[in-house]
């Protein structure tokens, strides 16, 4: 009986709610897939919950659709999470190109513990550190976490999953993914079961999967931080935010290509780092030196790699250096 479940669920202790979240397999839906029951049991005092309604990356629009189509559920889920954290303040941040979602959330909200902030549409606005700085003017320390500055950041799609688990008893067995890109015949947001072969989705949306591996790059996730998919038989997983297809660039990325010191990577880095230094450390075989240049502050947004004049795969270099530092 669903109505009974509702009543019982609302009265549960925070501990019990976290158990339900754990048992229903809820993880961060923004891509990182961090276990939600761990995130919402922080070992340090928290005063603010930030909900990320900024799309993580260009092309992805799944969070936007959820805010528009499941507005009530997101507001209800936010109240559940405030109750779990036992705090009085949630901020839902939405980019200004999604004003209709912002207005709908504001119109349907009746809880003064929830605030809404419209922020400029600019990648990587959805990164945790950027949001915390922008909304609260707090700096997450190098190598630290949002909880170090009293904040938990979650994604609106995760809130929807929490609502479904607590109120409906529904485990995380499906998610919204954005499908788009070159020659896509049916671009859009699709509700798909976790485990669906990506090949099936590509065949449905692109009409064929035959030639898609030749001359194209298939990204699982977004354009900037998504991973290049090598095998389209791979399944949709909980962190799959999208499937985006691009034409291969004429010049392949190469870790050994020389940096021409143009400085463009440093100009675009949102963390004000010097990405060319990481390239130099890697090519001189001194990756540990990257620590001195705050490599751990890199949020792996991909802006430097996107703009790099020499087409150097800076993000994969950074990932390797982080492991060695
Ligand atoms: S990926 Fe590049 S641009 Fe983004 S934070 Fe790291 S160094 Fe800066
Ligand atoms: S953008 Fe590329 S080539 Fe230019 S300074 Fe940075 S790493 Fe070097």
């Amino acid at each position: 009986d669903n109505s009974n479940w509702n009543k019982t669920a609302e009265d549960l202790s925070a501990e019990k709610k976290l158990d339900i979240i754990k048992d229903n397999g809820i993880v961060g839906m923004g891509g990182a897939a961090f276990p939600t029951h761990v995130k919402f049991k922080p070992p340090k005092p928290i005063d603010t919950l930030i909900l990320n309604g900024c799309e993580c990356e260009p092309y992805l629009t799944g969070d936007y659709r959820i805010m528009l189509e499941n507005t009530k559920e997101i507001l209800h889920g936010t109240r559940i999470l405030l109750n779990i954290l036992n705090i009085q303040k949630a901020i839902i941040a939405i980019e200004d190109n999604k004003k209709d979602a912002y207005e709908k959330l504001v119109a349907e909200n009746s809880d003064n513990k929830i605030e809404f902030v419209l922020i400029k549409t600019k990648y990587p606005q959805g990164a945790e550190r950027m949001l915390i700085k922008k909304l609260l003017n707090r700096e997450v320390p190098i190598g630290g976490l949002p909880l170090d500055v009293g904040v938990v950041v979650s994604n609106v799609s995760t809130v929807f999953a929490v609502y479904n688990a607590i109120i409906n008893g529904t485990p995380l067995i499906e998610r919204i993914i954005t499908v788009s890109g070159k020659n896509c015949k049916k671009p859009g947001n699709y509700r798909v079961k976790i485990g669906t072969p990506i090949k099936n989705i590509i065949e449905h949306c692109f009409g064929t999967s035959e030639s898609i591996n030749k001359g194209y790059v298939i990204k699982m996730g977004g354009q900037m931080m998504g991973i290049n998919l090598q095998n389209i038989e791979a399944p949709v997983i909980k962190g799959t935010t999208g499937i985006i297809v691009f034409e291969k660039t004429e010049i392949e990325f190469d870790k050994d290509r020389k940096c021409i010191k143009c400085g463009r990577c440093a100009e675009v880095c949102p963390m004000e780092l010097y990405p060319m230094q990481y390239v130099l450390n890697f090519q001189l075989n001194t990756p540990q030196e990257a620590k001195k240049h705050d490599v751990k502050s890199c949020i792996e947004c991909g802006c430097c790699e996107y703009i790099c004049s020499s087409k150097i795969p800076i993000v994969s270099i950074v990932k390797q250096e982080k492991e060695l530092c």
Side-chain angles (χ1 to χ4, degrees):
D1 177 354
N2 234 11
S3 58
N4 253 346
W5 167 265
N6 279 343
K7 276 182 207 137
T8 321
E10 288 292 315
D11 293 338
L12 294 171
S13 66
E15 203 64 35
K16 186 66 195 155
K17 287 189 183 109
L18 286 171
D19 283 345
I20 294 174
I21 289 170
K22 180 183 176 191
D23 293 345
N24 284 286
I26 311 301
V27 298
M29 306 286 280
F34 189 79
T36 302
H37 69 281
V38 176
K39 185 178 260 192
F40 280 85
K41 201 176 179 187
K44 293 185 178 177
I46 298 295
D47 60 27
T48 309
L49 167 64
I50 292 179
L51 295 180
N52 186 358
C54 309
E55 216 59 66
C56 303
E57 298 199 45
Y59 279 91
L60 303 179
T61 50
D63 290 344
Y64 171 49
R65 291 314 309 174
I66 282 198
M67 286 191 286
L68 276 178
E69 293 174 27
N70 299 100
T71 316
K72 280 197 166 50
E73 291 84 351
I74 286 182
L75 291 167
H76 194 159
T78 305
R79 293 196 297 276
I80 291 171
L81 291 172
L82 280 171
N83 173 270
I84 289 174
L85 290 171
N86 193 21
I87 59 170
Q88 303 298 315
K89 184 178 175 183
I91 305 172
I92 304 186
I94 304 146
E95 286 175 317
D96 59 7
N97 64 350
K98 303 168 184 65
K99 216 168 172 190
D100 46 354
Y102 167 84
E103 284 166 357
K104 195 153 184 266
L105 281 160
V106 171
E108 294 191 17
N109 180 48
S110 55
D111 190 328
N112 59 15
K113 293 200 278 292
I114 308 176
E115 294 172 23
F116 304 88
V117 179
L118 258 190
I119 55 177
K120 194 169 174 237
T121 305
K122 187 182 173 194
Y123 179 78
Q125 197 78 268
E128 291 184 337
R129 284 164 183 271
M130 314 300 291
L131 275 181
I132 294 169
K133 176 75 180 151
K134 182 97 190 163
L135 299 173
L136 301 170
N137 199 23
R138 297 181 194 171
E139 301 251 10
V140 178
I142 294 171
L145 292 168
L147 61 87
D148 294 322
V149 291
V151 183
V152 168
V153 183
S154 194
N155 163 280
V156 287
S157 295
T158 312
V159 180
F160 182 52
V162 165
Y163 168 89
N164 276 326
I166 303 276
I167 301 300
N168 300 323
T170 312
L172 184 51
I173 53 169
E174 59 184 25
R175 66 158 298 138
I176 306 294
I177 62 166
T178 305
V179 185
S180 186
K182 189 79 181 167
N183 296 332
C184 187
K185 293 185 171 58
K186 295 179 191 165
N189 287 298
Y190 292 84
R191 190 184 302 277
V192 297
K193 294 278 182 282
I194 308 297
T196 307
I198 287 172
K199 185 174 184 225
N200 294 9
I201 298 168
I202 288 179
E203 281 173 354
H204 177 80
C205 297
F206 290 80
T208 174
S209 63
E210 287 299 305
S211 58
I212 209 90
N213 266 339
K214 300 181 202 100
Y216 294 94
V217 175
I218 303 169
K219 288 264 187 189
M220 185 151 101
Q223 177 188 16
M224 304 296 281
M225 296 173 82
I227 52 164
N228 291 0
L229 200 64
Q230 307 299 336
N231 181 359
I232 58 172
E233 303 285 347
V236 167
I237 55 174
K238 291 178 183 178
T240 306
T241 47
I243 296 165
I244 317 287
V245 174
F246 297 97
E247 265 179 317
K248 276 189 181 151
T249 49
E250 279 177 30
I251 306 167
E252 297 274 328
F253 280 83
D254 183 349
K255 280 182 179 163
D256 295 323
R257 196 168 293 127
K258 293 291 170 226
C259 163
I260 59 164
K261 312 274 189 301
C262 65
R264 294 171 74 185
C265 52
E267 277 169 27
V268 297
C269 177
M271 299 304 292
E272 299 177 4
L273 302 170
Y274 294 102
M276 68 286 260
Q277 191 63 46
Y278 308 139
V279 173
L280 189 67
N281 291 144
F282 177 82
Q283 292 178 347
L284 291 177
N285 208 16
T286 54
Q288 293 87 349
E289 291 289 302
K291 191 174 183 181
K292 290 185 193 155
H293 302 281
D294 295 337
V295 73
K296 294 218 161 161
S297 292
C298 167
I299 57 172
E300 297 172 20
C301 66
C303 292
C304 53
E305 184 171 306
Y306 184 80
I307 202 88
C308 178
S309 312
S310 293
K311 289 261 177 285
I312 300 168
I314 305 176
V315 177
S316 39
I317 287 175
V318 161
K319 282 181 181 169
Q320 281 183 33
E321 289 178 337
K322 276 183 176 177
E323 280 181 17
L324 294 167
C325 287

